[in-house]
Amino acid sequence: MSERWTQAPRVAVVGGGLAGLAGGCALADAGFRVTLFERRPFLGGRASSYQHPGTGEVVDNCQHVLLGCCTNLVEFYRRLGVEGKIRWYDRLTFLEPGGRASLIEPSSLPAPLHTTPAFLRAACLDWPDKLAIAGAMAALVPMTPRDRGESFLTWLRRHGQTERAIARFWRTVLVSALNEDIDRVSVPSAAQVMRESFLKSPSAGRMGVPTVPLTELYSVAGGYLSARSGEVRLRSGVDGFRAEVAGVRLLTPGGEEGFDFVVLAVPFDVLSRMLPQTSAAEPLRQTLDQLETSPITGIHLWFDRQITDLDHAVLLDRTIQWMFHKSKLVAPASSRQPALSPVEGRGHPIPAGGARQLAGREESNGSYVELVVSSSKTLVERSRAEIIDLALNELHEFFPESRAAKLVKSTVIKEVHATYSPRPGVDLHRPRPETVWPRVFLAGDWTATGWPATMEGAVRSGYRAAECVARVTGQREATFVVPNLPPSGFMRLFRG
Ligand SMILES: Cc1cc2nc3c(=O)[nH]c(=O)nc-3n(C[C@H](O)[C@H](O)[C@H](O)COP(=O)(O)OP(=O)(O)OC[C@H]3O[C@@H](n4cnc5c(N)ncnc54)[C@H](O)[C@@H]3O)c2cc1C
């Protein structure tokens, strides 16, 4: 684009999830005039919190965790100055029904051998399982296999995995990371997770947990934009756009508004409805039609007493997959800044210094736990009461002390379209940020980031779209995406 810019170009970012926020903040830092449109009355998108009307508690729409390999998300936290609100854990506890624990943690051995001692000690796997896992890991060390249409389950069977290794290791790790069953997951998606988080370096697998409600973490981005001459418009849905030679017109219920560039950072189904009814839009619409979603269910339980000393645990062999001890994880409201997250339709604004934010610590001796079920297709049709019953019965198996505890209140949050499904062939349908309209760019966890549908993927996509805008305006060296963690130990020998 050979335009001369006498003043900073105006960029509209549509969508205030992590993709839009990251892209918008990067552009504002690079001197663009950013206007962010968000349909809801709060920022954060799928990673947000709200005051739940039934319980009166502030809850995250679901527990969100990150890993050490999420370099762009961590960089985004630093940019916003909220990196101190993440607590990091090196050790994961895998619990069997009955309560027996296996601890997975790094040792001083070089990558990719750093977790070997923990695996050798793990009681939840037998020797044939451990040998099989080592063999399959060795196959993933040199490079990420290509997508040949095979599911990862088939790949695992071809690589001699035992049923227990599949159930207790591969399925456990991958269903949480990819939010899809392993018989529906592509080989590169699964391999990327194992290589980036397990194999490349000891710090890659550290788990980060926010110590504040999600909206408190991400609403900071609104202030960040405003402080850099940006504008955040909440409750401002965009219906569509019209791409012109000299700019893009956004179509909103209030009328049309012109911008130099637009970054569309909305979910893929929303984007599909936003596209103009022209033949130019057809290939993108058809691509988006190929994407499917998969659900996640969070079960929130408040007890009259403590049911475990653990901060979190991976739960094996049952429907519930993770326990997060929210009342241990989240700092008391009194020690935090007030949250700013009114919610539309499903809750109430969080009052300043909110009385029972994410409950727990400061509340008597009670405790609050969230149980998470990824790829929760079997729960979508089940009633709240049935899900809570099932969850309690399973919880009693893992934490026998919970049998004596009284359930004070509970809720179930089903995110039916939580993330796109990373099935074989999916990468063919994840579009790049550039579109047929030179001034319109795409962002979102579902775009072609090379990462799964995660906060890291969303931030990467926002930075990529921002790079495209900056480069088109002459900032040829603009780079916002930060590199992956470098491989360490023996992993430095492999490039794939
Ligand atoms: C239940 C659940 C659990 C998860 N757990 C994890 C986890 O542990 N770790 C992890 O890394 N990731 C997790 N994820 C995934 C993570 O939340 C997403 O990958 C990420 O938040 C997606 O960000 P995004 O900006 O791409 O999309 P979104 O967050 O969906 O943002 C899109 C935004 O666009 C807005 N919008 C929609 N339509 C319009 C319109 N017409 N006009 C203006 N704005 C509009 C929406 O309101 C929304 O704010 C989880 C997701 C869910 C649902």
mmCIF file of all heavy atoms in Angstrom, residues 19 46 264-272 284 287-288 291-292 419-421 426-427 429-432 441-454 457-458 461:
data_model
loop_
_atom_site.group_PDB
_atom_site.id
_atom_site.type_symbol
_atom_site.label_atom_id
_atom_site.label_comp_id
_atom_site.label_asym_id
_atom_site.label_seq_id
_atom_site.Cartn_x
_atom_site.Cartn_y
_atom_site.Cartn_z
ATOM 1 N N ALA A 19 -7.555 -12.164 21.635
ATOM 2 C CA ALA A 19 -6.983 -11.864 20.318
ATOM 3 C C ALA A 19 -7.113 -10.368 20.027
ATOM 4 O O ALA A 19 -6.148 -9.706 19.650
ATOM 5 C CB ALA A 19 -7.698 -12.691 19.244
ATOM 6 N N ARG A 46 -14.002 -15.279 25.963
ATOM 7 C CA ARG A 46 -14.192 -16.597 26.571
ATOM 8 C C ARG A 46 -13.367 -16.775 27.845
ATOM 9 O O ARG A 46 -13.542 -17.761 28.543
ATOM 10 C CB ARG A 46 -13.841 -17.687 25.563
ATOM 11 C CG ARG A 46 -15.009 -18.037 24.657
ATOM 12 C CD ARG A 46 -14.578 -18.984 23.570
ATOM 13 N NE ARG A 46 -13.968 -18.263 22.467
ATOM 14 C CZ ARG A 46 -13.132 -18.824 21.597
ATOM 15 N NH1 ARG A 46 -12.795 -20.074 21.716
ATOM 16 N NH2 ARG A 46 -12.637 -18.102 20.611
ATOM 17 N N LEU A 264 -10.711 -8.151 12.552
ATOM 18 C CA LEU A 264 -11.912 -8.855 13.001
ATOM 19 C C LEU A 264 -11.467 -9.987 13.926
ATOM 20 O O LEU A 264 -10.869 -10.970 13.476
ATOM 21 C CB LEU A 264 -12.685 -9.400 11.806
ATOM 22 C CG LEU A 264 -13.173 -8.314 10.827
ATOM 23 C CD1 LEU A 264 -13.698 -8.945 9.536
ATOM 24 C CD2 LEU A 264 -14.255 -7.450 11.480
ATOM 25 N N ALA A 265 -11.702 -9.824 15.241
ATOM 26 C CA ALA A 265 -11.223 -10.795 16.233
ATOM 27 C C ALA A 265 -12.421 -11.396 16.962
ATOM 28 O O ALA A 265 -12.495 -11.387 18.185
ATOM 29 C CB ALA A 265 -10.277 -10.096 17.206
ATOM 30 N N VAL A 266 -13.354 -11.908 16.180
ATOM 31 C CA VAL A 266 -14.583 -12.492 16.726
ATOM 32 C C VAL A 266 -14.551 -14.005 16.504
ATOM 33 O O VAL A 266 -13.760 -14.494 15.697
ATOM 34 C CB VAL A 266 -15.832 -11.873 16.047
ATOM 35 C CG1 VAL A 266 -16.010 -10.419 16.436
ATOM 36 C CG2 VAL A 266 -15.765 -12.018 14.530
ATOM 37 N N PRO A 267 -15.400 -14.774 17.196
ATOM 38 C CA PRO A 267 -15.456 -16.218 16.929
ATOM 39 C C PRO A 267 -15.808 -16.495 15.464
ATOM 40 O O PRO A 267 -16.440 -15.661 14.806
ATOM 41 C CB PRO A 267 -16.568 -16.701 17.863
ATOM 42 C CG PRO A 267 -16.617 -15.681 18.956
ATOM 43 C CD PRO A 267 -16.277 -14.380 18.302
ATOM 44 N N PHE A 268 -15.419 -17.681 14.970
ATOM 45 C CA PHE A 268 -15.544 -17.916 13.524
ATOM 46 C C PHE A 268 -16.992 -17.935 13.035
ATOM 47 O O PHE A 268 -17.280 -17.526 11.916
ATOM 48 C CB PHE A 268 -14.779 -19.181 13.091
ATOM 49 C CG PHE A 268 -15.253 -20.458 13.726
ATOM 50 C CD1 PHE A 268 -16.323 -21.159 13.206
ATOM 51 C CD2 PHE A 268 -14.609 -20.977 14.836
ATOM 52 C CE1 PHE A 268 -16.756 -22.338 13.774
ATOM 53 C CE2 PHE A 268 -15.031 -22.157 15.423
ATOM 54 C CZ PHE A 268 -16.103 -22.841 14.896
ATOM 55 N N ASP A 269 -17.923 -18.366 13.893
ATOM 56 C CA ASP A 269 -19.320 -18.383 13.447
ATOM 57 C C ASP A 269 -19.856 -16.952 13.342
ATOM 58 O O ASP A 269 -20.635 -16.639 12.442
ATOM 59 C CB ASP A 269 -20.191 -19.234 14.387
ATOM 60 C CG ASP A 269 -20.109 -18.761 15.829
ATOM 61 O OD1 ASP A 269 -19.015 -18.363 16.268
ATOM 62 O OD2 ASP A 269 -21.140 -18.777 16.520
ATOM 63 N N VAL A 270 -19.398 -16.088 14.245
ATOM 64 C CA VAL A 270 -19.810 -14.676 14.180
ATOM 65 C C VAL A 270 -19.238 -14.052 12.909
ATOM 66 O O VAL A 270 -19.931 -13.330 12.181
ATOM 67 C CB VAL A 270 -19.320 -13.900 15.425
ATOM 68 C CG1 VAL A 270 -19.660 -12.412 15.299
ATOM 69 C CG2 VAL A 270 -19.918 -14.480 16.690
ATOM 70 N N LEU A 271 -17.980 -14.364 12.622
ATOM 71 C CA LEU A 271 -17.353 -13.792 11.426
ATOM 72 C C LEU A 271 -18.124 -14.201 10.178
ATOM 73 O O LEU A 271 -18.367 -13.386 9.279
ATOM 74 C CB LEU A 271 -15.892 -14.254 11.329
ATOM 75 C CG LEU A 271 -15.183 -13.789 10.063
ATOM 76 C CD1 LEU A 271 -15.065 -12.271 10.029
ATOM 77 C CD2 LEU A 271 -13.811 -14.433 9.928
ATOM 78 N N SER A 272 -18.520 -15.455 10.142
ATOM 79 C CA SER A 272 -19.235 -15.955 8.968
ATOM 80 C C SER A 272 -20.490 -15.122 8.692
ATOM 81 O O SER A 272 -20.803 -14.795 7.550
ATOM 82 C CB SER A 272 -19.589 -17.430 9.211
ATOM 83 O OG SER A 272 -20.162 -17.963 8.081
ATOM 84 N N LEU A 284 -13.898 -17.716 1.965
ATOM 85 C CA LEU A 284 -13.678 -17.638 3.412
ATOM 86 C C LEU A 284 -14.879 -18.225 4.155
ATOM 87 O O LEU A 284 -14.731 -18.992 5.108
ATOM 88 C CB LEU A 284 -13.430 -16.185 3.831
ATOM 89 C CG LEU A 284 -13.228 -15.945 5.338
ATOM 90 C CD1 LEU A 284 -12.094 -16.810 5.905
ATOM 91 C CD2 LEU A 284 -12.932 -14.463 5.619
ATOM 92 N N THR A 287 -14.656 -21.904 4.066
ATOM 93 C CA THR A 287 -13.609 -22.380 4.982
ATOM 94 C C THR A 287 -14.131 -22.406 6.414
ATOM 95 O O THR A 287 -13.958 -23.389 7.147
ATOM 96 C CB THR A 287 -12.391 -21.429 4.892
ATOM 97 O OG1 THR A 287 -11.803 -21.619 3.622
ATOM 98 C CG2 THR A 287 -11.378 -21.701 5.962
ATOM 99 N N LEU A 288 -14.795 -21.323 6.811
ATOM 100 C CA LEU A 288 -15.292 -21.227 8.191
ATOM 101 C C LEU A 288 -16.343 -22.298 8.467
ATOM 102 O O LEU A 288 -16.438 -22.814 9.587
ATOM 103 C CB LEU A 288 -15.871 -19.833 8.456
ATOM 104 C CG LEU A 288 -14.883 -18.671 8.294
ATOM 105 C CD1 LEU A 288 -15.587 -17.334 8.499
ATOM 106 C CD2 LEU A 288 -13.722 -18.809 9.272
ATOM 107 N N LEU A 291 -15.226 -25.560 10.138
ATOM 108 C CA LEU A 291 -14.774 -25.640 11.532
ATOM 109 C C LEU A 291 -15.919 -26.087 12.439
ATOM 110 O O LEU A 291 -17.062 -25.674 12.257
ATOM 111 C CB LEU A 291 -14.239 -24.280 11.999
ATOM 112 C CG LEU A 291 -12.986 -23.784 11.263
ATOM 113 C CD1 LEU A 291 -12.642 -22.350 11.693
ATOM 114 C CD2 LEU A 291 -11.806 -24.699 11.535
ATOM 115 N N GLU A 292 -15.581 -26.938 13.413
ATOM 116 C CA GLU A 292 -16.576 -27.397 14.387
ATOM 117 C C GLU A 292 -16.097 -27.018 15.787
ATOM 118 O O GLU A 292 -14.927 -26.717 15.969
ATOM 119 C CB GLU A 292 -16.708 -28.922 14.322
ATOM 120 C CG GLU A 292 -17.278 -29.433 13.018
ATOM 121 C CD GLU A 292 -17.195 -30.946 12.930
ATOM 122 O OE1 GLU A 292 -17.051 -31.607 13.980
ATOM 123 O OE2 GLU A 292 -17.251 -31.449 11.803
ATOM 124 N N THR A 419 -14.331 -24.276 22.190
ATOM 125 C CA THR A 419 -13.179 -24.058 21.293
ATOM 126 C C THR A 419 -13.384 -24.843 19.996
ATOM 127 O O THR A 419 -14.192 -25.779 19.958
ATOM 128 C CB THR A 419 -11.858 -24.547 21.937
ATOM 129 O OG1 THR A 419 -12.005 -25.930 22.258
ATOM 130 C CG2 THR A 419 -11.506 -23.763 23.187
ATOM 131 N N TYR A 420 -12.626 -24.489 18.973
ATOM 132 C CA TYR A 420 -12.735 -25.261 17.732
ATOM 133 C C TYR A 420 -12.150 -26.660 17.964
ATOM 134 O O TYR A 420 -11.286 -26.849 18.825
ATOM 135 C CB TYR A 420 -12.042 -24.536 16.561
ATOM 136 C CG TYR A 420 -10.556 -24.756 16.520
ATOM 137 C CD1 TYR A 420 -10.005 -25.886 15.911
ATOM 138 C CD2 TYR A 420 -9.700 -23.857 17.126
ATOM 139 C CE1 TYR A 420 -8.641 -26.109 15.902
ATOM 140 C CE2 TYR A 420 -8.331 -24.067 17.130
ATOM 141 C CZ TYR A 420 -7.811 -25.194 16.518
ATOM 142 O OH TYR A 420 -6.466 -25.420 16.533
ATOM 143 N N SER A 421 -12.631 -27.599 17.182
ATOM 144 C CA SER A 421 -12.199 -28.988 17.328
ATOM 145 C C SER A 421 -10.989 -29.250 16.420
ATOM 146 O O SER A 421 -11.095 -29.097 15.199
ATOM 147 C CB SER A 421 -13.381 -29.881 16.931
ATOM 148 O OG SER A 421 -12.941 -31.189 16.742
ATOM 149 N N VAL A 426 -7.789 -30.150 10.053
ATOM 150 C CA VAL A 426 -8.361 -28.858 10.447
ATOM 151 C C VAL A 426 -7.487 -27.684 10.001
ATOM 152 O O VAL A 426 -8.002 -26.608 9.676
ATOM 153 C CB VAL A 426 -8.609 -28.804 11.972
ATOM 154 C CG1 VAL A 426 -7.295 -28.671 12.742
ATOM 155 C CG2 VAL A 426 -9.533 -27.652 12.331
ATOM 156 N N ASP A 427 -6.179 -27.897 9.957
ATOM 157 C CA ASP A 427 -5.307 -26.751 9.652
ATOM 158 C C ASP A 427 -5.546 -26.198 8.251
ATOM 159 O O ASP A 427 -5.253 -25.033 7.985
ATOM 160 C CB ASP A 427 -3.834 -27.118 9.870
ATOM 161 C CG ASP A 427 -3.507 -27.176 11.364
ATOM 162 O OD1 ASP A 427 -4.240 -26.526 12.142
ATOM 163 O OD2 ASP A 427 -2.571 -27.887 11.741
ATOM 164 N N HIS A 429 -8.302 -25.461 7.183
ATOM 165 C CA HIS A 429 -9.464 -24.568 7.289
ATOM 166 C C HIS A 429 -9.249 -23.432 8.281
ATOM 167 O O HIS A 429 -10.180 -22.724 8.627
ATOM 168 C CB HIS A 429 -10.706 -25.368 7.685
ATOM 169 C CG HIS A 429 -10.923 -26.569 6.834
ATOM 170 N ND1 HIS A 429 -11.126 -26.479 5.485
ATOM 171 C CD2 HIS A 429 -10.904 -27.891 7.137
ATOM 172 C CE1 HIS A 429 -11.245 -27.689 4.981
ATOM 173 N NE2 HIS A 429 -11.111 -28.560 5.960
ATOM 174 N N ARG A 430 -8.030 -23.296 8.782
ATOM 175 C CA ARG A 430 -7.746 -22.166 9.703
ATOM 176 C C ARG A 430 -7.112 -21.057 8.872
ATOM 177 O O ARG A 430 -5.984 -21.178 8.416
ATOM 178 C CB ARG A 430 -6.810 -22.617 10.820
ATOM 179 C CG ARG A 430 -7.418 -23.677 11.728
ATOM 180 C CD ARG A 430 -6.423 -24.129 12.776
ATOM 181 N NE ARG A 430 -6.234 -23.132 13.837
ATOM 182 C CZ ARG A 430 -5.312 -23.254 14.785
ATOM 183 N NH1 ARG A 430 -4.488 -24.295 14.806
ATOM 184 N NH2 ARG A 430 -5.197 -22.323 15.713
ATOM 185 N N PRO A 431 -7.838 -19.961 8.659
ATOM 186 C CA PRO A 431 -7.318 -18.932 7.752
ATOM 187 C C PRO A 431 -6.171 -18.121 8.342
ATOM 188 O O PRO A 431 -6.053 -17.981 9.558
ATOM 189 C CB PRO A 431 -8.535 -18.028 7.519
ATOM 190 C CG PRO A 431 -9.443 -18.272 8.653
ATOM 191 C CD PRO A 431 -9.169 -19.648 9.180
ATOM 192 N N ARG A 432 -5.349 -17.594 7.453
ATOM 193 C CA ARG A 432 -4.289 -16.670 7.843
ATOM 194 C C ARG A 432 -4.914 -15.307 8.130
ATOM 195 O O ARG A 432 -6.064 -15.061 7.779
ATOM 196 C CB ARG A 432 -3.279 -16.547 6.691
ATOM 197 C CG ARG A 432 -2.535 -17.843 6.398
ATOM 198 C CD ARG A 432 -1.714 -17.720 5.140
ATOM 199 N NE ARG A 432 -0.851 -16.531 5.169
ATOM 200 C CZ ARG A 432 0.308 -16.476 5.807
ATOM 201 N NH1 ARG A 432 0.754 -17.532 6.435
ATOM 202 N NH2 ARG A 432 1.021 -15.369 5.787
ATOM 203 N N PHE A 441 -8.217 -7.672 8.364
ATOM 204 C CA PHE A 441 -7.390 -8.780 8.860
ATOM 205 C C PHE A 441 -8.167 -9.579 9.904
ATOM 206 O O PHE A 441 -9.095 -9.057 10.525
ATOM 207 C CB PHE A 441 -6.087 -8.228 9.460
ATOM 208 C CG PHE A 441 -5.284 -7.486 8.432
ATOM 209 C CD1 PHE A 441 -5.440 -6.103 8.279
ATOM 210 C CD2 PHE A 441 -4.433 -8.153 7.579
ATOM 211 C CE1 PHE A 441 -4.737 -5.415 7.310
ATOM 212 C CE2 PHE A 441 -3.717 -7.474 6.601
ATOM 213 C CZ PHE A 441 -3.869 -6.101 6.462
ATOM 214 N N LEU A 442 -7.763 -10.837 10.070
ATOM 215 C CA LEU A 442 -8.474 -11.735 10.987
ATOM 216 C C LEU A 442 -7.599 -12.091 12.182
ATOM 217 O O LEU A 442 -6.378 -12.233 12.044
ATOM 218 C CB LEU A 442 -8.853 -13.039 10.280
ATOM 219 C CG LEU A 442 -9.631 -12.919 8.974
ATOM 220 C CD1 LEU A 442 -9.890 -14.314 8.398
ATOM 221 C CD2 LEU A 442 -10.953 -12.182 9.212
ATOM 222 N N ALA A 443 -8.242 -12.259 13.325
ATOM 223 C CA ALA A 443 -7.541 -12.773 14.512
ATOM 224 C C ALA A 443 -8.533 -13.639 15.281
ATOM 225 O O ALA A 443 -9.741 -13.526 15.114
ATOM 226 C CB ALA A 443 -7.035 -11.622 15.377
ATOM 227 N N GLY A 444 -8.009 -14.494 16.124
ATOM 228 C CA GLY A 444 -8.854 -15.393 16.918
ATOM 229 C C GLY A 444 -8.110 -16.701 17.104
ATOM 230 O O GLY A 444 -7.256 -17.054 16.280
ATOM 231 N N ASP A 445 -8.450 -17.422 18.175
ATOM 232 C CA ASP A 445 -7.718 -18.668 18.467
ATOM 233 C C ASP A 445 -7.902 -19.716 17.379
ATOM 234 O O ASP A 445 -7.165 -20.684 17.317
ATOM 235 C CB ASP A 445 -8.144 -19.220 19.842
ATOM 236 C CG ASP A 445 -9.622 -19.550 19.939
ATOM 237 O OD1 ASP A 445 -10.383 -19.300 18.971
ATOM 238 O OD2 ASP A 445 -10.048 -20.059 21.000
ATOM 239 N N TRP A 446 -8.889 -19.531 16.515
ATOM 240 C CA TRP A 446 -9.209 -20.494 15.454
ATOM 241 C C TRP A 446 -8.448 -20.190 14.163
ATOM 242 O O TRP A 446 -8.538 -20.948 13.207
ATOM 243 C CB TRP A 446 -10.729 -20.473 15.189
ATOM 244 C CG TRP A 446 -11.229 -19.069 15.015
ATOM 245 C CD1 TRP A 446 -11.650 -18.222 16.003
ATOM 246 C CD2 TRP A 446 -11.286 -18.315 13.798
ATOM 247 N NE1 TRP A 446 -11.965 -16.991 15.466
ATOM 248 C CE2 TRP A 446 -11.756 -17.028 14.113
ATOM 249 C CE3 TRP A 446 -11.004 -18.630 12.473
ATOM 250 C CZ2 TRP A 446 -11.934 -16.046 13.161
ATOM 251 C CZ3 TRP A 446 -11.179 -17.646 11.515
ATOM 252 C CH2 TRP A 446 -11.638 -16.366 11.865
ATOM 253 N N THR A 447 -7.720 -19.079 14.102
ATOM 254 C CA THR A 447 -6.966 -18.763 12.877
ATOM 255 C C THR A 447 -5.672 -19.585 12.853
ATOM 256 O O THR A 447 -5.345 -20.273 13.823
ATOM 257 C CB THR A 447 -6.658 -17.250 12.782
ATOM 258 O OG1 THR A 447 -5.913 -16.867 13.936
ATOM 259 C CG2 THR A 447 -7.919 -16.403 12.700
ATOM 260 N N ALA A 448 -4.927 -19.454 11.747
ATOM 261 C CA ALA A 448 -3.756 -20.339 11.545
ATOM 262 C C ALA A 448 -2.564 -19.860 12.355
ATOM 263 O O ALA A 448 -1.674 -19.185 11.852
ATOM 264 C CB ALA A 448 -3.404 -20.365 10.062
ATOM 265 N N THR A 449 -2.555 -20.215 13.639
ATOM 266 C CA THR A 449 -1.451 -19.791 14.503
ATOM 267 C C THR A 449 -0.414 -20.887 14.675
ATOM 268 O O THR A 449 0.669 -20.629 15.187
ATOM 269 C CB THR A 449 -1.976 -19.436 15.911
ATOM 270 O OG1 THR A 449 -2.574 -20.621 16.445
ATOM 271 C CG2 THR A 449 -2.990 -18.308 15.874
ATOM 272 N N GLY A 450 -0.796 -22.132 14.338
ATOM 273 C CA GLY A 450 0.092 -23.251 14.649
ATOM 274 C C GLY A 450 -0.071 -23.706 16.097
ATOM 275 O O GLY A 450 0.572 -24.646 16.531
ATOM 276 N N TRP A 451 -0.936 -23.028 16.845
ATOM 277 C CA TRP A 451 -1.185 -23.382 18.247
ATOM 278 C C TRP A 451 -2.641 -23.770 18.413
ATOM 279 O O TRP A 451 -3.500 -23.337 17.646
ATOM 280 C CB TRP A 451 -0.856 -22.191 19.159
ATOM 281 C CG TRP A 451 0.623 -22.092 19.381
ATOM 282 C CD1 TRP A 451 1.553 -21.773 18.428
ATOM 283 C CD2 TRP A 451 1.335 -22.381 20.580
ATOM 284 N NE1 TRP A 451 2.798 -21.830 18.980
ATOM 285 C CE2 TRP A 451 2.704 -22.197 20.300
ATOM 286 C CE3 TRP A 451 0.960 -22.764 21.868
ATOM 287 C CZ2 TRP A 451 3.692 -22.394 21.258
ATOM 288 C CZ3 TRP A 451 1.949 -22.945 22.820
ATOM 289 C CH2 TRP A 451 3.298 -22.771 22.518
ATOM 290 N N PRO A 452 -2.928 -24.564 19.458
ATOM 291 C CA PRO A 452 -4.332 -24.927 19.687
ATOM 292 C C PRO A 452 -5.154 -23.734 20.169
ATOM 293 O O PRO A 452 -4.612 -22.643 20.375
ATOM 294 C CB PRO A 452 -4.247 -26.015 20.768
ATOM 295 C CG PRO A 452 -2.886 -25.977 21.322
ATOM 296 C CD PRO A 452 -1.993 -25.211 20.393
ATOM 297 N N ALA A 453 -6.458 -23.971 20.336
ATOM 298 C CA ALA A 453 -7.369 -22.908 20.798
ATOM 299 C C ALA A 453 -7.111 -22.638 22.268
ATOM 300 O O ALA A 453 -7.716 -23.247 23.147
ATOM 301 C CB ALA A 453 -8.808 -23.331 20.584
ATOM 302 N N THR A 454 -6.193 -21.741 22.513
ATOM 303 C CA THR A 454 -5.792 -21.411 23.879
ATOM 304 C C THR A 454 -5.620 -19.902 23.977
ATOM 305 O O THR A 454 -5.633 -19.199 22.968
ATOM 306 C CB THR A 454 -4.427 -22.047 24.197
ATOM 307 O OG1 THR A 454 -3.528 -21.673 23.144
ATOM 308 C CG2 THR A 454 -4.506 -23.555 24.303
ATOM 309 N N GLY A 457 -2.750 -19.079 21.826
ATOM 310 C CA GLY A 457 -3.105 -19.027 20.407
ATOM 311 C C GLY A 457 -3.824 -17.723 20.078
ATOM 312 O O GLY A 457 -3.570 -17.093 19.045
ATOM 313 N N ALA A 458 -4.720 -17.302 20.971
ATOM 314 C CA ALA A 458 -5.476 -16.069 20.729
ATOM 315 C C ALA A 458 -4.539 -14.859 20.707
ATOM 316 O O ALA A 458 -4.624 -14.009 19.810
ATOM 317 C CB ALA A 458 -6.547 -15.905 21.813
ATOM 318 N N SER A 461 -2.482 -14.770 17.600
ATOM 319 C CA SER A 461 -3.255 -14.362 16.417
ATOM 320 C C SER A 461 -3.438 -12.846 16.406
ATOM 321 O O SER A 461 -3.372 -12.215 15.353
ATOM 322 C CB SER A 461 -4.611 -15.063 16.403
ATOM 323 O OG SER A 461 -5.481 -14.479 17.350
#
